[in-house]
Amino acid sequence: MQKGVTLWFTGLSGAGKTTVCLEVGRLLKLRGLKVELLDGDKMREQLNAGLGFSKDDRRKNVATAAYVARLLTRNGVIVLASFVSPYKSMRESARASIGSFAEVYVRCPLEECARRDVKGLYKKAFSGEIQHFTGVSDPFEDPEFPELVLYTDQETINQSAARVMEYLKTNGFIG
Ligand code: ADP
């Protein structure tokens, strides 16, 4: 059995949102459950092509994602949404519009994210080649009351994914 819910993964670039979502998605699919992944980068390539990283464009990107997540969630799908979504107000709007929602703070120190530098973006952000980069030249507002916090500098990917699965079970979203 499953109940629709959106797990909203927020955190710095390179914190591990996509990686953990992929693993949780794999585990849910193994159980034959309906799951969909929404990803900030993919959103910007598809539905939101042309949006930049100003506060207003970030708001639009998150709002579009929240709308899609709402449609899926109300049809019983488990949505794993991976968005830097640095502003508290935008995450709270997503929560209000989706209803069945849990905020998962993928917490990793900036220094570790920059060390991983998965996409080579921190190097460019520190040199000034890229502007408005979250954590470097743009703010990240820490979640105040996230339902779950993953410490990806201290846990393995499997441990983080297992904690998400446990959350879904404990809260009755999966059997
Ligand atoms: P984001 O989606 O938050 O930008 P990614 O998932 O693309 O981040 O990148 C995170 C990187 O950190 C990956 O290379 C991943 O293998 C690595 N990593 C190391 N430990 C962990 C962990 N415990 N959880 C998630 N990612 C981890």
Side-chain angles (χ1 to χ4, degrees):
M1 83 85 192
Q2 74 180 95
K3 271 202 272 183
V5 64
T6 290
L7 298 185
W8 190 276
F9 292 74
T10 176
L12 297 175
S13 175
K17 302 179 295 298
T18 306
T19 304
V20 176
C21 282
L22 284 171
E23 178 57 13
V24 173
R26 193 184 70 79
L27 294 173
L28 291 170
K29 281 177 200 159
L30 273 180
R31 294 166 167 241
L33 300 173
K34 279 186 288 185
V35 55
E36 194 58 68
L37 272 69
L38 295 178
D39 178 281
D41 291 339
K42 295 224 172 71
M43 209 76 188
R44 286 171 180 281
E45 283 166 22
Q46 302 288 330
L47 276 181
N48 285 338
L51 286 187
F53 292 89
S54 66
K55 192 167 181 183
D56 199 44
D57 278 4
R58 286 180 187 275
R59 189 189 54 70
K60 285 183 192 145
N61 195 40
V62 167
T64 310
Y67 178 74
V68 175
R70 182 165 78 100
L71 300 182
L72 291 164
T73 299
R74 75 182 184 195
N75 279 289
V77 177
I78 296 170
V79 179
L80 307 173
S82 161
F83 290 82
V84 174
S85 48
Y87 293 98
K88 215 180 301 176
S89 60
M90 297 173 196
R91 298 191 300 263
E92 286 313 308
S93 300
R95 179 190 291 279
S97 102
I98 296 167
S100 182
F101 178 98
E103 190 174 37
V104 181
Y105 182 12
V106 184
R107 188 169 186 160
C108 185
L110 176 68
E111 299 68 38
E112 173 60 13
C113 294
R115 195 192 61 74
R116 293 177 182 172
D117 209 3
V118 189
K119 300 167 199 150
L121 295 175
Y122 280 98
K123 194 161 176 269
K124 292 184 182 169
F126 282 118
S127 75
E129 196 181 321
I130 299 180
Q131 287 167 357
H132 300 293
F133 196 76
T134 301
V136 178
S137 42
D138 228 36
F140 180 82
E141 297 175 354
D142 286 339
E144 266 180 300
F145 306 110
E147 276 76 5
L148 189 61
V149 183
L150 305 177
Y151 300 91
T152 64
D153 61 326
Q154 296 163 38
E155 303 166 0
T156 64
I157 296 165
N158 288 344
Q159 284 170 335
S160 296
R163 292 187 53 226
V164 175
M165 293 296 284
E166 194 52 42
Y167 175 84
L168 288 170
K169 262 185 240 165
T170 309
N171 290 278
F173 294 113
I174 60 175

